[in-house]
Amino acid sequence: MTGMMRILRLSAQPTLENLTLTEEAAPHPGPGEVLVRVRATSLNYHDYLVVAGFIPQPAGRVPMSDGAGEIVALGEGVAGFSVGDRVMGAFFPNWVDGAPTEENNAAISGETIDGFAAEHVAVPAHSLCPMPRGWSFAEAATLPCAGLTAWRGLCVVGQVQPGATVLLPGSGGLAVFMLQIAKALGLQVIMISSSDDKLDRLKALGADHGINYRTVPDWPAAVRHLTKGLGVDLVLDIGGQSTFARSVAACRMGGKLLVVGSTSNAAPELPLRDVVMRHIQVRGMAVGSVSQLADLVAFVEANGMRPLIDSSFGLDRLGDAFRYQLSGQHMGKIVVDL
Ligand SMILES: NC(=O)c1ccc[n+]([C@@H]2O[C@H](COP(=O)([O-])OP(=O)(O)OC[C@H]3O[C@@H](n4cnc5c(N)ncnc54)[C@H](OP(=O)(O)O)[C@@H]3O)[C@@H](O)[C@H]2O)c1
């Protein structure tokens, strides 16, 4: 018996100031569904865009794409899971495996369908993945979006080989995961951050070089200096207008530029001549499939990796958690315990 639960539903015009919890009856799992007692979620920049109203939603949407918890009930016809299993949800619950399609990418947890800001969720069994062995719920809640994007970006889409050099922006959830995975893969890593203190901490985590993008605005020149004038094999771009042209300039001839988001508001300038004449492979990507999440679980277990958790908040302080994320003080992941 699950009874009542706490849940966060967005208003028609959500802001960080009106994120309030309510109580309602816990759902029942339908056919093919599993009822999960959610124990943790984690903050991604995408969640901020939803809870602050930049990705408009109908009133009542439950935000947060990440979730980890334990199974408390099985719906009719569910096989392969048991009550008590510790599981993670998926960013794209219907992208089970294979290539992304319009159909399997249509449902996005915490955006086009309800997410994990609730004590209980009823979700399709096919969207769930067992947590890494020995991980806490908070640790597991960092994997479905940031962890999977980092792993897929390097291993599946980027297909970087040992010894290659990658350039990673920032020190947030995605960047720190990519650093950890890149070092486990034997890559050289150059990181850019707005803070010398964070760069020191990133080096302590394994980064080979750090450049402060505030004090060194021409960071592509610094990257070329560190790479014998060549540029790097792969650049991750998260900044859009503020970074795109410079990310292209930091790429080697024929290098890869992975575009995963834009932390700046305006559209980027497109340095077409540079992209064309230097054969840059520009590629967009979003998170990954449930089976790739399972591959990531095998990877982190084999490499003994653990996520870097900066801080944790209660669900009743979700607005404070996002304000803290926006302040840029964090390094790695911010989690929310339920
Ligand atoms: N497409 C996907 O599948 C996917 C998945 C996850 C994330 N993302 C995207 O990746 C980005 C980061 O997400 P997150 O969840 O890791 O956010 P986060 O934890 O809030 O981190 C944001 C980071 O951005 C860095 N940053 C801001 N402006 C920058 C600039 N001009 N140059 C370099 N770095 C800059 C900051 O680094 P410093 O504080 O060190 O300066 C900060 O650490 C967002 O754009 C998000 O939408 C995309």
Side-chain angles (χ1 to χ4, degrees):
M1 277 291 125
T2 44
M4 301 296 282
M5 66 167 185
R6 293 183 313 150
I7 186 167
L8 195 154
R9 291 192 181 276
L10 298 179
S11 70
Q13 290 177 322
T15 69
L16 296 190
E17 279 64 52
N18 66 10
L19 302 175
T20 45
L21 296 183
T22 51
E23 288 226 331
E24 62 183 60
H28 293 283
E33 287 185 339
V34 162
L35 186 65
V36 177
R37 170 64 174 95
V38 180
R39 295 291 180 184
T41 175
S42 85
L43 273 63
N44 295 288
Y45 195 75
H46 167 260
D47 301 311
Y48 163 69
L49 296 176
V50 173
V51 300
F54 293 110
I55 302 179
Q57 300 303 323
R61 173 68 73 236
V62 180
M64 307 305 285
S65 69
D66 280 336
E70 63 215 331
I71 293 178
V72 292
L74 303 176
E76 192 189 318
V78 170
F81 286 104
S82 306
V83 169
D85 284 356
R86 294 157 69 90
V87 292
M88 300 173 291
F91 186 91
F92 294 115
N94 296 329
W95 185 9
V96 177
D97 55 21
T101 65
E102 299 284 349
E103 291 73 27
N104 67 25
N105 272 217
I108 300 174
S109 299
E111 184 191 321
T112 62
I113 61 166
D114 285 347
F116 291 89
E119 287 176 335
H120 289 89
V121 295
V123 292
H126 64 236
S127 68
L128 295 174
C129 175
M131 286 169 40
R133 274 190 299 277
W135 281 35
S136 68
F137 291 117
E139 288 176 314
T142 66
L143 274 195
C145 179
L148 179 53
T149 305
W151 179 83
R152 180 164 168 259
L154 290 170
C155 297
V156 181
V157 178
Q159 296 194 354
V160 274
Q161 301 303 313
T165 304
V166 297
L167 174 62
L168 306 177
S171 52
L174 178 60
V176 171
F177 260 126
M178 280 191 105
L179 167 62
Q180 293 174 301
I181 293 168
K183 293 318 292 180
L185 293 169
L187 308 179
Q188 292 287 307
V189 179
I190 304 173
M191 309 228 27
I192 58 171
S193 168
S194 57
S195 151
D196 289 340
D197 174 54
K198 285 182 175 179
L199 288 169
D200 286 342
R201 292 165 63 202
L202 291 166
K203 283 184 196 161
L205 287 173
D208 298 279
H209 303 284
I211 304 167
N212 187 317
Y213 63 78
R214 288 239 170 93
T215 57
V216 186
D218 190 4
W219 45 263
V223 168
R224 287 187 170 274
H225 180 70
L226 290 170
T227 53
K228 300 189 174 79
L230 296 175
V232 298
D233 298 284
L234 180 142
V235 182
L236 181 80
D237 192 79
I238 64 166
Q241 187 197 39
S242 61
T243 54
F244 191 84
R246 282 178 280 186
S247 293
V248 170
C251 252
R252 73 161 166 78
M253 191 82 159
K256 294 175 180 163
L257 175 55
L258 279 189
V259 182
V260 297
S262 175
T263 46
S264 41
N265 291 328
E269 170 202 337
L270 187 59
L272 266 186
R273 180 174 167 78
D274 211 11
V275 169
V276 172
M277 297 310 287
R278 294 199 305 109
H279 306 263
I280 306 297
Q281 304 175 57
V282 180
R283 164 82 191 258
M285 64 157 278
V287 199
S289 67
V290 178
S291 77
Q292 287 166 337
L293 183 57
D295 292 342
L296 169 60
V297 169
F299 180 90
V300 299
E301 287 181 346
N303 288 281
M305 235 186 78
R306 303 299 274 245
L308 179 69
I309 294 181
D310 176 277
S311 45
S312 59
F313 291 77
L315 186 59
D316 56 341
R317 292 190 55 218
L318 192 64
D320 289 338
F322 278 109
R323 274 186 284 275
Y324 177 64
Q325 182 189 29
L326 287 182
S327 77
Q329 295 170 63
H330 69 292
M331 204 170 113
K333 292 294 295 180
I334 301 165
V335 299
V336 169
D337 297 310
L338 283 91

